[in-house]
Amino acid sequence: MTTEVGDEEFYITSCTYLPPRVNSDTPWCTINGMLPTNALPMLEMQICIIFLATFLLHAILGRLRFPRFASMCIVGLIFATSFTEEWARKSRELFFFDSQASLGMLSVFGYMLFLFYTGVKTDVSVIPRTKSSAATIGCATILAPFICSMTVVNLYSTKYLDSDQIAKVRLIIGVFSVTPFPNICTVLSDLKILNSELGRLSQSAALVTELFNVVFTSILSISKILSSDPEKAWFRLIVLILFLLMLIFVYRPAMFWIIKQTPEGSPVSDHYVYFILIMVFVASYITHRIGFLALFGPFALGMATPEGPPLGTAVIKKIDTFVNWMFMPLFVTTCVMRVNLRDFMKWRDEVTGGIDQFMLQALIIIAVTSTVKFVVCMLLPLYHNVPLSDSVSLSLVMNCKGVVELAGFSIIRDLMGMPDNVLALVIMSIILTATVGPFLLAYLYDPMKKYAGNYTKRNIFDLKNNSELRVLTCIHRPDNIPPTINLLEATFPTKDNPLCIYALQLIELIGRAAPVFISHQLQSKKTHDSNASMADKLIDAFQNFEHEFKDALVVNTFTSISPTELMYDDICTLALNKYTSLIVLPFHKKWSSDGNSIEIEDESLRELNFRVMRRAPCSVGILIERMQMTHIFSPETPYTVCMLFIGGKDDREALYFAKRMTKNPHVRLTVVRFLARNKYSEVTDLQELLDTEILNDIRINGKVGETNVNYIEKIVKDGPETALVIRKLVKEYDLIIVGRQAGIETPQTSGLLQWSEYPELGVLGDLLASTDAAGKATVFVMQQQRRDTDA
């Protein structure tokens, strides 16, 4: 486009042009004359300025919950708009016309990689498994606005527009009717609700609309080929079919062969990854030569590449940083640089002086399409008994626009032409929905509200006698399995006190666009996923455990593949839905087999534990395993357990969990109570009264039921003395159980809190985990269910 500034013309282009003619000799981006000698330095300067501008602007606006896409668009508007003559002159010097060809070509190259990247992360196998409600929403989301808007065009807009303008308005309808899957994933990921209930429903519906979009676009492209050159049309169509068949029957099996050649736990060879990236360029060239958009080939190739680890993950890791942090800011910014805000204000026809009918009809169509889409997306969930706030949130998600629509209008502008003011209108509409939608979503939708346990007590302390204990165990690595089973086996499930275990394998989402939640009880046959071997180990271990306690133990296994920062939602949701009383989390550190050195320290796992403890709808325990070994329960090898008791609800929860272990004939329980020297034999408040009451049977009788329990009282004056006593006491135990009591300092722990390294473990838990105080013993730190009604 051209924007007049004084006596000069300022050209703002973005080379997203893709040749409509197969035999065209025109390159993708043309240059007026020879490139200047400083072309490469200028290109490097332009990339740096765009990158820094988008990065800095997002660092500022991100604090106000602006999406990153909006920051990129604003940078493009700033560079393109002629605020003053001086600003326009500086912009011309930075983005002079001849340099824009190279910049545009690079940005299109980035968008091509983005489409391949999106295809690799998309799991199309979930479409046949999509629930009917999501499929209905997906179909209605694209069909209803499309039909209504087409009706408005045929009955009203045709009176004011010519045939060429009508064709472009219909393309606007098509672009605004679809809900591209990449846009939805980006919005949900930015808001950190990717694996929430709303997120899963939105992605399922978007996948259905994406299928519609691909089929519809393919039909249009084929019909265009057939009408433009009938003599060669069938040849091109046959070549396209052969290309797709080759992807399905040659390329995809070859990818699975690569996966089979990769040893379990090892990364895919870089040679295979580079071969796949070369195939991206080949696929782009093939589809360009047969008359399709050159972007179609990379997307189809990505869809044919198996998602997830090891292959999909390896490919994504290679290109993720370049695609998301370098090429996408370039592409979005250069696309938006076509728009001058002054054009957006041109609502008058320059010839007649009246209202510009093309712009007015485009605005009406955008309004009708967006309104119908919003209403349909809201009414359908309401029909399926979804709350109003969640229905409105779903409508906002499905109406969000992004980079796909931006690319669509750039291509339409290059292939068919579009007036500057109409292009400004559609681009500003995209930016508006991409900015306002996430803003409203952040305030409307709260995925945490379902975890609020104001009135429901889900903990071990309030569990009725002879009732089933339901436990959710989280497994990140195979070495988490033995200590978890040891802990649960110590509780000794019986027919009178049954145990129900929900074992959840947690895998980081890399190489996929959408999170996956698998119930292994519902699988009709074994999957061929690369994570299956880990799942098999989990299932086998817990099935053997279940067979050991027939009729007293039930095990259900699940796998969650989601971003690490969002795993807490899967954990808490499963605990909420299954009415569990306890969640068992592994500690973020892994010690060597001899327990003397640290092999792994995963800070993302530590943050996950924090989030679960803050939001869990039940009690939570963190399991710290120093020695990688499995205990064999027998009279010859008793399992010695020590429960350290200071006082408070977390300690009472830990004591009740320890009491359940007394039913195991091979467990020897010792309870150590620490009393403050200046408060010895005094009961000053309700909490201390509760502590004394639940310890009475152990303190007076030395028993829990009919089982003998060793009870020890230690009078201490401060924290250092407590630490010294603990070091002497706990060396000979296999398991040490403590309450968390986070942030609470008592006379027995005074002086220790300020030295705490792991606040998630509380004072005593931190003492046992961060030092060698526990020796080689396993440590289990418990936190009782947190409720809003707690004081």
Side-chain angles (χ1 to χ4, degrees):
M1 88 181 192
T2 62
T3 302
E4 295 185 4
V5 182
D7 297 329
E8 299 177 330
E9 287 186 332
F10 174 33
Y11 291 87
I12 304 170
T13 68
S14 175
C15 298
T16 55
Y17 173 71
L18 304 178
R21 294 174 296 158
V22 176
N23 297 321
S24 173
D25 294 328
T26 306
W28 284 13
C29 296
T30 56
I31 304 174
N32 288 353
M34 297 292 291
L35 281 175
T37 56
N38 64 342
L40 180 60
M42 283 304 300
L43 177 63
E44 293 169 343
M45 176 63 70
Q46 290 165 353
I47 292 172
C48 289
I49 289 176
I50 290 175
F51 176 78
L52 289 174
T54 54
F55 179 81
L56 293 174
L57 189 63
H58 181 62
I60 298 170
L61 298 183
R63 298 178 179 273
L64 303 175
R65 297 186 176 182
F66 271 79
R68 185 163 164 263
F69 174 78
S71 302
M72 300 178 197
C73 293
I74 293 172
V75 169
L77 289 174
I78 291 173
F79 285 142
T81 302
S82 305
F83 297 107
T84 63
E85 290 191 10
E86 179 63 20
W87 180 261
R89 185 181 65 80
K90 293 291 185 182
S91 295
R92 285 198 306 276
E93 291 176 0
L94 178 60
F95 298 100
F96 57 90
F97 182 75
D98 286 341
S99 73
Q100 293 173 41
S102 301
L103 184 63
M105 176 66 76
L106 189 61
S107 67
V108 175
F109 174 78
Y111 185 63
M112 180 190 72
L113 282 182
F114 171 76
L115 289 178
F116 169 72
Y117 173 93
T118 302
V120 173
K121 294 176 70 175
T122 303
D123 183 7
V124 292
S125 65
V126 304
I127 295 178
R129 305 195 300 267
T130 301
K131 293 182 179 179
S132 59
S133 57
T136 303
I137 293 170
C139 293
T141 297
I142 190 171
L143 292 177
F146 185 81
I147 293 171
C148 291
S149 299
M150 281 296 187
T151 303
V152 172
V153 168
N154 293 330
L155 297 180
Y156 179 73
S157 300
T158 51
K159 300 176 183 178
Y160 304 97
L161 305 178
D162 58 37
S163 58
D164 182 61
Q165 292 172 331
I166 289 294
K168 293 171 185 176
V169 166
R170 285 172 177 163
L171 287 174
I172 293 174
I173 293 173
V175 174
F176 272 85
S177 295
V178 299
T179 305
F181 183 69
N183 290 356
I184 301 302
C185 289
T186 301
V187 170
L188 297 174
S189 180
D190 287 345
L191 294 173
K192 298 189 177 355
I193 55 174
L194 194 65
N195 57 343
S196 63
E197 292 177 351
L198 174 68
R200 294 183 187 277
L201 179 60
S202 303
Q203 290 170 91
S204 298
L207 266 177
V208 176
T209 65
E210 187 74 9
L211 181 64
F212 265 89
N213 186 25
V214 171
V215 172
F216 183 67
T217 304
S218 301
I219 292 173
L220 285 180
S221 300
I222 292 171
S223 62
K224 183 179 179 181
I225 291 174
L226 292 175
S227 61
S228 62
D229 194 352
E231 294 181 0
K232 296 182 180 180
W234 288 107
F235 172 75
R236 295 171 185 165
L237 189 58
I238 291 171
V239 173
L240 174 65
I241 294 172
L242 288 175
F243 171 72
L244 295 176
L245 290 176
M246 187 179 69
L247 289 182
I248 296 171
F249 296 106
V250 178
Y251 174 79
R252 189 168 175 83
M255 297 301 102
F256 283 110
W257 178 84
I258 291 173
I259 292 173
K260 288 180 180 179
Q261 299 304 307
T262 304
E264 182 183 346
S266 300
V268 174
S269 171
D270 285 345
H271 299 294
Y272 294 132
V273 177
Y274 298 145
F275 169 76
I276 293 170
L277 293 178
I278 291 172
M279 288 299 298
V280 174
F281 308 135
V282 174
S284 177
Y285 180 77
I286 290 173
T287 51
H288 164 61
R289 293 302 301 173
I290 62 177
F292 276 73
L293 291 180
L295 302 174
F296 176 75
F299 181 70
L301 189 80
M303 297 282 279
T305 304
E307 80 289 342
L311 186 58
T313 301
V315 173
I316 292 300
K317 282 184 175 180
K318 285 291 183 186
I319 63 175
D320 180 73
T321 302
F322 278 100
V323 169
N324 285 321
W325 293 97
M326 179 180 171
F327 288 129
M328 288 319 297
L330 281 179
F331 180 75
V332 173
T333 303
T334 52
C335 282
V336 178
M337 282 173 63
R338 294 165 170 254
V339 175
N340 191 325
L341 286 177
R342 289 187 175 184
D343 292 330
F344 183 66
M345 307 307 294
K346 295 179 180 178
W347 289 82
R348 293 284 178 181
D349 191 304
E350 294 180 357
V351 177
T352 64
I355 192 76
D356 188 328
Q357 285 297 329
F358 192 3
M359 196 167 186
L360 177 62
Q361 297 304 318
L363 177 62
I364 292 173
I365 289 304
I366 291 172
V368 170
T369 306
S370 300
T371 303
V372 172
K373 193 172 190 176
F374 185 88
V375 172
V376 169
C377 285
M378 183 178 66
L379 293 180
L380 284 174
L382 287 174
Y383 176 77
H384 289 93
N385 299 318
V386 175
L388 178 61
S389 61
D390 290 356
S391 299
V392 174
S393 299
L394 177 64
S395 295
L396 289 171
V397 172
M398 300 300 284
N399 270 279
C400 284
K401 304 301 176 187
V403 65
V404 177
E405 289 88 354
L406 202 61
F409 283 115
S410 294
I411 293 172
I412 291 170
R413 188 261 195 190
D414 287 329
L415 296 181
M416 301 180 64
M418 185 174 286
D420 293 340
N421 57 345
V422 177
L423 180 67
L425 172 64
V426 294
I427 296 297
M428 290 303 296
S429 300
I430 291 171
I431 297 173
L432 181 66
T433 55
T435 305
V436 174
F439 259 119
L440 297 176
L441 266 172
Y443 289 102
L444 275 178
Y445 184 71
D446 180 15
M448 299 299 107
K449 63 184 178 183
K450 61 185 177 183
Y451 305 137
N454 294 337
Y455 308 107
T456 306
K457 295 180 179 179
R458 298 183 181 185
N459 53 62
I460 300 174
F461 181 80
D462 292 298
L463 202 63
K464 294 180 180 178
N465 291 330
N466 299 327
S467 59
E468 181 183 57
L469 172 61
R470 297 189 173 196
V471 180
L472 170 59
T473 65
C474 299
I475 306 296
H476 293 270
R477 303 182 302 269
D479 57 271
N480 298 148
I481 298 174
T484 302
I485 292 179
N486 273 349
L487 177 73
L488 298 173
E489 188 174 357
T491 63
F492 200 69
T494 63
K495 290 184 179 180
D496 294 331
N497 290 277
L499 179 64
C500 181
I501 299 173
Y502 300 96
L504 178 61
Q505 177 192 3
L506 294 163
I507 300 172
E508 184 180 3
L509 178 72
I510 301 177
R512 295 178 190 262
V516 179
F517 192 87
I518 304 167
S519 172
H520 295 288
Q521 285 67 40
L522 300 178
Q523 287 184 313
S524 57
K525 55 184 178 181
K526 276 194 168 185
T527 63
H528 296 285
D529 192 271
S530 57
N531 297 309
S533 57
M534 171 64 181
D536 290 341
K537 291 177 183 177
L538 177 70
I539 294 169
D540 291 343
F542 277 94
Q543 278 184 348
N544 292 334
F545 183 32
E546 186 177 20
H547 293 155
E548 189 177 344
F549 293 91
K550 281 188 176 180
D551 302 324
L553 173 63
V554 176
V555 176
N556 300 278
T557 53
F558 304 87
T559 295
S560 169
I561 306 175
S562 60
T564 305
E565 66 271 16
L566 302 180
M567 283 180 182
Y568 71 88
D569 192 54
D570 283 336
I571 296 170
C572 295
T573 299
L574 186 61
L576 183 72
N577 294 339
K578 300 301 181 182
Y579 300 96
T580 62
S581 298
L582 176 65
I583 298 172
V584 179
L585 302 169
F587 192 48
H588 69 278
K589 283 186 176 181
K590 178 191 175 185
W591 278 265
S592 59
S593 56
D594 58 6
N596 292 325
S597 61
I598 296 173
E599 290 184 348
I600 298 175
E601 186 167 1
D602 190 344
E603 287 299 321
S604 63
L605 179 55
R606 183 185 182 191
E607 181 61 28
L608 171 64
N609 291 346
F610 262 119
R611 289 174 176 168
V612 173
M613 297 186 100
R614 284 196 294 264
R615 298 171 172 87
C618 62
S619 297
V620 182
I622 295 181
L623 186 61
I624 306 160
E625 174 75 2
R626 280 184 176 269
M627 295 287 287
Q628 306 298 317
M629 58 185 295
T630 301
H631 186 87
I632 299 174
F633 290 80
S634 68
E636 292 77 22
T637 57
Y639 193 63
T640 53
V641 180
C642 179
M643 195 273 141
L644 304 180
F645 191 96
I646 290 179
K649 59 184 179 181
D650 290 347
D651 279 13
R652 292 194 292 272
E653 184 77 2
L655 178 63
Y656 267 67
F657 182 70
K659 280 183 174 183
R660 292 187 69 95
M661 297 183 179
T662 59
K663 299 182 184 296
N664 191 327
H666 309 309
V667 169
R668 303 290 181 266
L669 175 62
T670 299
V671 177
V672 181
R673 186 182 188 186
F674 294 91
L675 295 169
R677 182 167 298 169
N678 59 342
K679 289 190 175 183
Y680 180 56
S681 74
E682 293 183 13
V683 178
T684 58
D685 60 20
L686 178 61
Q687 294 293 324
E688 291 183 15
L689 183 64
L690 287 172
D691 295 339
T692 303
E693 180 66 27
I694 67 168
L695 281 169
N696 269 341
D697 58 338
I698 299 176
R699 184 171 59 86
I700 297 172
N701 302 319
K703 290 185 176 183
V704 173
E706 299 299 323
T707 305
N708 291 326
V709 174
N710 187 21
Y711 177 77
I712 302 173
E713 281 189 356
K714 292 291 183 179
I715 302 172
V716 293
K717 67 175 182 179
D718 55 19
E721 187 174 346
T722 300
L724 186 63
V725 172
I726 288 175
R727 285 178 178 273
K728 292 179 180 178
L729 277 176
V730 301
K731 291 287 187 181
E732 304 303 321
Y733 293 99
D734 297 308
L735 173 66
I736 304 168
I737 303 175
V738 297
R740 183 189 180 204
Q741 297 298 108
I744 300 175
E745 188 168 62
T746 63
Q748 299 96 309
T749 59
S750 61
L752 295 180
L753 186 61
Q754 59 265 39
W755 300 104
S756 180
E757 185 179 354
Y758 305 115
E760 69 270 29
L761 302 180
V763 176
L764 294 189
D766 174 80
L767 174 68
L768 294 167
S770 59
T771 68
D772 61 349
K776 309 300 183 184
T778 299
V779 179
F780 190 50
V781 181
M782 296 191 68
Q783 171 188 282
Q784 193 180 66
Q785 174 195 17
R786 297 292 190 249
R787 298 189 296 146
D788 293 345
T789 53
D790 291 339

